[in-house]
């Protein structure tokens, strides 16, 4: 992965689930508005995060969202989704 791949990854979701043996994991995903049209341009990324945690034996316990705008290049709204996953024991 190059520098720009790392920047993109750090800007879209956290990697807090790297440690083993945790009973709860908290992750955040930033949903970005599509460049053209309406709706989120990266819902599949949110789905991937949830499925990746499920494959590790976690279930989605809680999800909350916060809305934030962006005035940078490309503009568009950002929705910060914070998810708590619980280990299935």
């Amino acid at each position: 992965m190059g520098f720009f791949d790392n920047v993109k990854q750090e800007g879209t979701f956290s990697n807090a689930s790297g440690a083993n043996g945790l009973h709860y994991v908290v992750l955040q995903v930033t949903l970005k508005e599509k460049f053209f049209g309406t709706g989120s341009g990266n819902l599949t990324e949110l789905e991937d995060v949830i499925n990746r945690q499920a494959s590790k034996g976690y279930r989605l316990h809680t999800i909350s969202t916060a809305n934030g705008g962006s005035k940078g290049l490309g503009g568009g709204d950002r929705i910060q989704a914070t998810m708590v996953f619980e280990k299935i024991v």
Side-chain angles (χ1 to χ4, degrees):
M1 263 198 289
F3 173 75
F4 291 107
D5 293 327
N6 289 337
V7 169
K8 180 182 180 288
Q9 183 178 11
E10 291 170 4
T12 55
F13 65 91
S14 68
N15 289 317
S17 64
N20 290 326
L22 299 176
H23 292 285
Y24 292 91
V25 173
V26 179
L27 296 174
Q28 290 182 327
V29 175
T30 302
L31 300 173
K32 297 172 274 189
E33 186 178 344
K34 288 181 184 176
F35 191 69
F36 295 106
T38 60
S40 178
N42 62 332
L43 278 177
T44 56
E45 188 171 349
L46 179 64
E47 187 178 76
D48 290 344
V49 169
I50 293 170
N51 284 321
R52 187 169 41 247
Q53 291 307 115
S55 72
K56 294 178 183 181
Y58 290 87
R59 68 180 174 119
L60 183 60
H61 180 279
T62 307
I63 186 169
S64 66
T65 59
N67 192 7
S70 173
K71 305 221 184 286
L73 181 64
D77 287 336
R78 304 286 190 263
I79 297 174
Q80 188 74 34
T82 303
M83 298 169 285
V84 178
F85 292 89
E86 180 179 30
K87 186 75 169 176
I88 301 170
V89 286

